[in-house]
Amino acid sequence: MALPETSAWAILIGVLLVAAVVGFRPLLARLAARNIGRRKSRVLIVVAGLLVGTAVISSSLVVGDTLSYIFLEDVYARLDAIDELVSNTFNGQLFSFSETNFTQIRADLGVAGSPIDGIAPALLKIMPVRNVAGNKGNQQISVMGLNATLESGFGSLTTVDGRTVDTNDLAPTEVYANERAVADLNASAGQDLTLFYGTTNQTIVHATLAGIVRDAGKAAYESRAILFMDLRRAQAAFNESGAINLIRVSNLGGVADGVTYSDRVAQDLRLSIATRHLALRVQAVKADDSTSALQVGRDATDLFLVMGAFGILAGVLLIVNIFVMLAEERKPELGVARAVGFLRSDLLTTFALEGTFYAVVAAALGALAGLGLGYVMVYFFDKLVPHGDVVVTFHFELSSVITAFVAGTALTWITILMASWRVSRLNIVRAIRDLPEPGTPERSRDVLIAGVAVALGGFALTAWGFATDTGMGKIPGPPVLALGLAIAAASRGWARSAMTLAAAFNLAWILLPFTLLNQATDNVSVAFVMVGVILVGSGILIAVFNVSEALRAVLRRANRGVGRPVLKTAISYPMDKRFRTGMTVAMFALILFMVTLISMLQGLQAASLNSFVQQQSGGYDVIAYTTTYGEIPNFRGRLQANFSDSLFLNGYNGTSTASVMPAKVQAVGGNRTYDYTLWGVDNFLIQSNQYGFTSFLPSYVNESSGQRQALTNRTDVWLSLRWNHTLAIVDRTAAGPNQFVPDESRLRVVPGDRIRAFDAAGRTVNLTIVGVLEQALQFTSGVFVDQSVVRGVFPAQERYTAYFFQMAPGVDVDAFRADLERTFFVYGLQTIDIREQIGQAFDASQEVLTLMQAYLGIGLLVGIAGLAVITLRAVVERRTQIGALRAIGFTRAMVLGTFLVEIALIAVLGIGIGVALGIVLSYKIYIVYFADIVVFSVPWPNLALIVGIASAAAVASAAQPAIRGSRIPPAEALRYIE
């Protein structure tokens, strides 16, 4: 049954149950309604606190809906009618093949009766294009040759003035350009364009822009800047007579529903290719991209739910706290009700009905509030997160809102039911006289049995975790076992020492620098939530059982004064109500724990930025590369003719080159093949780069001398590539260890392992790994070898070239990049400012983390609501006590001080526990996973701001009832009967 249908049935069943109770037991319904209407202001606070959990669930689902929608719409915009592609690809490169292959495949699909409404060939090339009149060019313009007579399944091109055209309308030297290409080239109809094509011997093609077509339909293919030609004209212009490199297939149906036939059509295509022994590959691009788009939405939902899980847990604690306080408030009333004949089930039903009202109203408001919160998150996602050409539009499914409502209602109602069951088990006489429940042998036995049961559960989890090597058992197992033993010991009167020892053990188990997580199989999100709950729960146990004794010891040594009675009174009440205090402290601690972790992550990023740039750049400032031309002829001579050596650190020796070869790599003895990049580095790069190593071989054999030479430092390792052409270096992505989330599709090797690299034609080179770099590289990830290896084994037309520049201090890097791209434009040279690129990614990451902190901040509303409810209840419970204190000499200021100190104590405990545990866990994560990658730093200013905001909000939330309580006249307070 689908989730929305389940939600609808849950709502229907809930309505029927409530209606049945109201119909058959109207008295209980009237009692529940009376209790709701007694204190309307408290009802508002309760509902406000309860709706936060539902709002978190709703906003998480809505954000997931929006991201799925926008990325799915982007898939439809990029691919339009295309459902499958057939090509000859090798490591992302398109290779041409005979057009007769298309004719054969089309015929086979017709015989098989494949559900398609279009199949057409294309010749797609990427090259530099210059518009001389517009004084602008672009190195990455796609040029697509189409056969208009075969394009019926893919639609026509539409000009910006609304005319329908296609490539058969073009004169021999004309092209159409889509709006993206026109913007990149600053072009207009009638202008002449120059196309530079070729990888080794350049071909110059002149074309006239016949018209501008809209970025829609096939003109929006992959969001590229495209020039459209007639297929025959493209084949002749680019020396590809009778060749194509792409076959596009459109399934029956529209843009969105054609994907339902993808499995059938892809199977027919593969059967045709296999039968005819063609070296082609089928990609169900729309089905694959649609799946990826939906997965983005699911991942976003999971992320926000994990981030919000602590807010949801805080909401659960608030529900428990509220109903425990309601039970204490109505204890005499409940005792009288039992005395006149009410059964325990009647009390349970009354509380459940009252709770149902709170649950339904809070869940309804929370689901709607989640829509607003989701909209805000999507708005800031659009503003802060780079998302290319993807159009961000707020979108939600009604089923998500209904699901959030049902989940919020169920979560609240189940928690209420459990709390109500506890309330219903009261002693009639003691309830009427409002006396505390004493410890009894039966109660001690029940606690002992519960402790033993929890301990057995913990033991079973531990055994399962270690037997199957899963953190799902190893993380919670021992802490649950320790807690069960502590509960059992508490039944014998050793609660404080047992709980303190168990909590200390749990903290040590989680925080000691060893890993409990199986990164290959465990759900990291679930493990993270478990770790947070165990840490915060353990910290609260230690605080609740020890803070009062510690503070009393301090007070006994303090001088007597006006403040001492206030402090003693303020400490007594929260520590007398340990369960209530612990629940409220936990609300703050859970949220502040998560907020602190995010703040620590921001701090680690900020502190590590410079070292990360250094590790990523290897000492270089600018990387330039060709993607459409193999190697620029006489590059160094042209560089010296156009640029002064003063621009570069160490003159022209500050420039290096690498021959770059997309290849397949396989570990010798392994059966998996990986897409990889071979970097054939020249002597300048070998000698001048600053990439360091995490591990390398102790020695190697020098091929020129035949002698074994020791490797003692990074320079020796790099130089070994020059003297032994069978050696290779890999970056950290291939190393495996210290990768927080391992990528199973990556090569995994260590120094001494042997690999085989080969191209599409089967040309092969065997290599031995001599070293592993200390960083997973972003710009130059791959396998590094001597330049002669790449040049000697693989042909020039398969390679391109990268150029590395170490800039002198004070050089205008942006101006240099512009001049370099202009000088070598015809070769398609593009440049990257490494620091700028990393800085942009860093800024985006910081903004996203700040957004997540703001999202988590709504969880503070739960803690604030909880503190407000506690303070309201404290004032009501202690009116008689307030009167007595005033009668024996307490001033209004002293009474107010008592309440404010109580508030501050609870807030400080919650904030302190959350922040401290967040810092310590961050340090553990740093030690275990990132010690050799990032620099540890605590962002004290950020944490101080967080603590200040949380403290101010806590005091502000409870100040008004505290002030009101301090102003009650003594005589009125002593006469008060609730």
Side-chain angles (χ1 to χ4, degrees):
M1 186 182 293
L3 190 58
E5 294 178 11
T6 305
S7 301
W9 277 108
I11 293 173
L12 179 60
I13 293 170
V15 169
L16 292 176
L17 285 175
V18 172
V21 172
V22 172
F24 289 104
R25 301 299 301 274
L27 176 60
L28 300 183
R30 287 200 297 272
L31 285 174
R34 172 180 171 271
N35 287 331
I36 292 170
R38 286 167 70 180
R39 292 185 176 86
K40 295 182 177 60
S41 61
R42 191 178 305 177
V43 170
L44 291 176
I45 294 175
V46 169
V47 170
L50 297 183
L51 68 81
V52 172
T54 308
V56 169
I57 297 172
S58 177
S59 62
S60 300
L61 295 175
V62 165
V63 169
D65 287 346
T66 297
L67 293 182
S68 292
Y69 174 79
I70 62 177
F71 285 109
L72 199 57
E73 288 297 306
D74 180 63
V75 171
Y76 298 150
R78 288 187 294 104
L79 296 176
D80 192 53
I82 298 173
D83 292 292
E84 293 85 31
L85 291 175
V86 180
S87 60
N88 179 15
T89 59
F90 186 85
N91 198 354
Q93 291 183 304
L94 278 177
F95 290 89
S96 298
F97 53 92
S98 174
E99 193 173 354
T100 58
N101 294 164
F102 161 74
T103 305
Q104 295 167 336
I105 291 171
R106 182 176 62 166
D108 290 343
L109 292 186
V111 172
S114 290
I116 66 171
D117 56 20
I119 179 169
L123 183 62
L124 180 65
K125 300 291 184 179
I126 301 174
M127 63 193 70
V129 177
R130 174 177 288 162
N131 173 21
V132 178
N135 193 31
K136 195 172 182 182
N138 186 284
Q139 303 96 323
Q140 293 283 298
I141 298 293
S142 297
V143 180
M144 183 177 282
L146 302 177
N147 186 339
T149 61
L150 299 172
E151 290 291 314
S152 59
F154 303 92
S156 300
L157 300 169
T158 303
T159 62
V160 290
D161 56 5
R163 292 182 298 111
T164 299
V165 297
D166 218 318
T167 53
N168 59 349
D169 299 321
L170 293 168
T173 60
E174 289 182 333
V175 296
Y176 290 122
N178 68 0
E179 293 171 297
R180 288 188 180 87
V182 167
D184 287 347
L185 298 173
N186 190 29
S188 57
Q191 291 184 333
D192 292 330
L193 306 177
T194 304
L195 288 60
F196 302 90
Y197 170 70
T199 55
T200 53
N201 296 308
Q202 199 165 69
T203 300
I204 297 177
V205 177
H206 297 282
T208 302
L209 181 57
I212 302 167
V213 296
R214 293 174 180 169
D215 288 336
K218 62 187 179 186
Y221 177 67
E222 293 292 1
S223 301
R224 297 178 184 228
I226 308 176
L227 300 183
F228 293 95
M229 282 183 167
D230 177 72
L231 178 59
R232 301 294 172 235
R233 159 70 170 154
Q235 289 171 335
F238 304 133
N239 302 314
E240 297 267 10
S241 179
I244 58 175
N245 59 11
L246 209 57
I247 298 174
R248 296 163 296 137
V249 181
S250 173
N251 299 343
L252 287 174
V255 171
D257 53 3
V259 74
T260 57
Y261 296 107
S262 280
D263 288 342
R264 163 74 189 281
V265 175
Q267 182 180 3
D268 290 344
L269 287 167
R270 291 187 180 106
L271 180 60
S272 172
I273 290 168
T275 301
R276 296 184 179 276
H277 306 288
L278 304 178
L280 300 177
R281 177 188 176 196
V282 178
Q283 294 173 279
V285 285
K286 187 174 289 179
D288 293 343
D289 288 1
S290 297
T291 300
S292 298
L294 294 174
Q295 187 61 46
V296 168
R298 286 191 290 269
D299 290 344
T301 298
D302 292 345
L303 173 64
F304 278 85
L305 282 175
V306 169
M307 296 293 103
F310 296 94
I312 296 171
L313 289 173
V316 170
L317 298 179
L318 176 62
I319 297 167
V320 173
N321 228 0
I322 287 171
F323 273 79
V324 168
M325 287 189 292
L326 287 176
E328 291 180 358
E329 176 183 326
R330 301 173 190 170
K331 202 171 181 181
E333 176 186 325
L334 297 175
V336 171
R338 290 279 284 116
V340 299
F342 270 54
L343 302 176
R344 284 179 176 172
S345 60
D346 294 331
L347 296 184
L348 180 62
T349 303
T350 303
F351 263 99
L353 284 174
E354 182 181 352
T356 299
F357 170 80
Y358 294 139
V360 170
V361 173
L365 293 175
L368 295 176
L371 286 178
L373 180 59
Y375 178 83
V376 171
M377 298 301 293
V378 170
Y379 173 82
F380 283 105
F381 172 87
D382 185 25
K383 300 298 181 184
L384 302 178
V385 181
H387 49 79
D389 294 327
V390 178
V391 178
V392 176
T393 305
F394 180 69
H395 174 85
F396 69 90
E397 301 290 340
L398 182 61
S399 59
S400 294
V401 180
I402 295 173
T403 300
F405 169 76
V406 172
T409 303
L411 183 68
T412 306
W413 195 76
I414 291 170
T415 309
I416 287 169
L417 205 61
M418 295 174 62
S420 301
W421 176 81
R422 179 179 181 273
V423 168
S424 67
R425 296 173 61 83
L426 49 78
N427 180 279
I428 297 174
V429 175
R430 292 187 178 278
I432 293 173
R433 298 176 65 187
D434 197 16
L435 298 175
E437 296 289 334
T440 62
E442 292 80 7
R443 188 179 295 272
S444 296
R445 186 186 63 219
D446 291 345
V447 172
L448 177 62
I449 292 173
V452 171
V454 171
L456 289 174
F459 178 79
L461 272 175
T462 304
W464 171 66
F466 280 96
T468 59
D469 189 26
T470 174
M472 300 298 101
K474 289 191 286 187
I475 292 173
V480 171
L481 174 60
L483 182 63
L485 295 176
I487 293 172
S491 68
R492 308 268 70 90
W494 305 323
R496 181 188 171 199
S497 57
M499 289 295 183
T500 301
L501 287 173
F505 168 80
N506 292 351
L507 291 176
W509 179 253
I510 298 297
L511 294 176
L512 285 177
F514 53 78
T515 180
L516 301 170
L517 197 66
N518 186 329
Q519 298 178 40
T521 59
D522 289 344
N523 186 314
V524 177
S525 300
V526 173
F528 176 72
V529 173
M530 286 193 300
V531 164
V533 171
I534 292 169
L535 287 177
V536 172
S538 301
I540 288 169
L541 283 176
I542 291 175
V544 166
F545 280 96
N546 295 278
V547 166
S548 60
E549 283 72 12
L551 291 176
R552 285 175 183 139
V554 171
L555 287 174
R556 282 195 295 269
R557 289 168 174 76
N559 295 326
R560 295 183 179 276
V562 175
R564 193 165 186 235
V566 171
L567 292 175
K568 290 188 68 175
T569 308
I571 292 169
S572 299
Y573 184 77
M575 294 308 156
D576 183 52
K577 306 287 185 180
R578 282 180 172 170
F579 180 81
R580 183 189 303 180
T581 301
M583 294 293 101
T584 309
V585 169
M587 295 177 207
F588 278 97
L590 284 168
I591 303 301
L592 268 298
F593 168 76
M594 193 63 221
V595 172
T596 299
L597 274 177
I598 294 178
S599 184
M600 289 296 298
L601 181 56
Q602 286 181 305
L604 289 175
Q605 282 188 339
S608 306
L609 179 60
N610 288 332
S611 63
F612 184 73
V613 169
Q614 178 63 31
Q615 290 172 332
Q616 285 290 326
S617 67
Y620 295 98
D621 301 292
V622 175
I623 298 176
Y625 58 94
T626 62
T627 57
T628 58
Y629 199 86
E631 183 175 355
I632 299 174
N634 191 26
F635 176 78
R636 284 192 173 272
R638 296 188 184 190
L639 184 73
Q640 294 174 13
N642 289 276
F643 297 90
S644 168
D645 64 348
S646 63
L647 293 173
F648 310 110
L649 191 67
N650 300 321
Y652 294 118
N653 288 336
T655 65
S656 308
T657 65
S659 297
V660 186
M661 171 67 199
K664 298 281 188 181
V665 170
Q666 187 178 62
V668 174
N671 56 6
R672 291 192 62 182
T673 300
Y674 307 89
D675 287 340
Y676 246 81
T677 302
L678 287 182
W679 295 82
V681 296
D682 70 358
N683 289 335
F684 291 101
L685 195 147
I686 285 176
Q687 296 181 51
S688 63
N689 85 80
Q690 297 173 18
Y691 292 121
F693 292 87
T694 185
S695 60
F696 52 84
L697 292 177
S699 63
Y700 77 103
V701 175
N702 186 318
E703 289 180 330
S704 62
S705 66
Q707 300 295 313
R708 179 166 292 277
Q709 295 182 208
L711 297 173
T712 59
N713 54 51
R714 53 168 300 281
T715 303
D716 291 343
V717 180
W718 279 107
L719 285 172
S720 70
L721 299 185
R722 181 195 298 177
W723 302 117
N724 189 325
H725 293 169
T726 66
L727 298 180
I729 291 168
V730 293
D731 73 311
R732 187 66 170 271
T733 55
N738 291 314
Q739 302 296 314
F740 188 66
V741 180
D743 182 353
E744 295 299 325
S745 66
R746 302 294 296 186
L747 177 71
R748 290 285 179 255
V749 293
V750 296
D753 286 351
R754 298 177 63 232
I755 62 173
R756 183 172 71 93
F758 56 94
D759 67 359
R763 287 176 282 260
T764 302
V765 59
N766 293 311
L767 301 165
T768 300
I769 304 301
V770 67
V772 177
L773 298 180
E774 65 183 355
Q775 185 62 271
L777 300 179
Q778 177 180 350
F779 305 102
T780 54
S781 177
V783 178
F784 296 85
V785 296
D786 187 75
Q787 194 168 51
S788 62
V789 174
V790 173
R791 289 182 172 180
V793 175
F794 304 105
Q797 59 267 28
E798 293 185 2
R799 308 189 308 257
Y800 60 95
T801 308
Y803 304 91
F804 300 79
F805 302 91
Q806 295 175 325
M807 308 307 298
V811 170
D812 186 339
V813 174
D814 289 338
F816 168 73
R817 290 174 57 201
D819 291 342
L820 192 69
E821 290 183 356
R822 183 174 59 253
T823 302
F824 298 102
F825 174 83
V826 297
Y827 301 101
L829 191 73
Q830 294 181 281
T831 61
I832 295 173
D833 181 338
I834 297 175
R835 176 171 285 277
E836 178 184 78
Q837 290 283 312
I838 294 175
Q840 289 174 353
F842 168 80
D843 291 341
S845 175
Q846 291 283 297
E847 289 167 345
V848 169
L849 291 173
T850 301
L851 185 60
M852 295 306 303
Q853 280 186 315
Y855 179 74
L856 287 168
I858 67 167
L860 283 176
L861 295 175
V862 178
I864 291 168
L867 202 54
V869 170
I870 279 186
T871 308
L872 281 170
R873 179 57 197 161
V875 170
V876 172
E877 277 185 351
R878 297 160 63 188
R879 287 182 69 124
T880 305
Q881 184 189 100
I882 291 170
L885 290 173
R886 292 294 307 282
I888 63 173
F890 268 58
T891 63
R892 285 184 177 181
M894 293 174 70
V895 173
L896 177 61
T898 299
F899 281 116
L900 293 179
V901 170
E902 288 179 18
I903 296 167
L905 176 62
I906 293 172
V908 166
L909 282 177
I911 294 169
I913 290 171
V915 172
L917 291 176
I919 293 174
V920 176
L921 181 61
S922 299
Y923 186 73
K924 186 239 174 110
I925 294 172
Y926 160 78
I927 288 294
V928 173
Y929 296 106
F930 303 117
D932 56 346
I933 299 175
V934 300
V935 178
F936 185 79
S937 174
V938 179
W940 294 114
N942 286 358
L943 293 179
L945 179 63
I946 292 169
V947 169
I949 292 173
S951 302
V955 173
S957 69
Q960 195 273 335
I963 293 171
R964 191 175 67 220
S966 69
R967 292 177 177 175
I968 301 173
E972 180 182 331
L974 289 169
R975 288 197 305 269
Y976 175 74
I977 298 176
E978 189 174 352

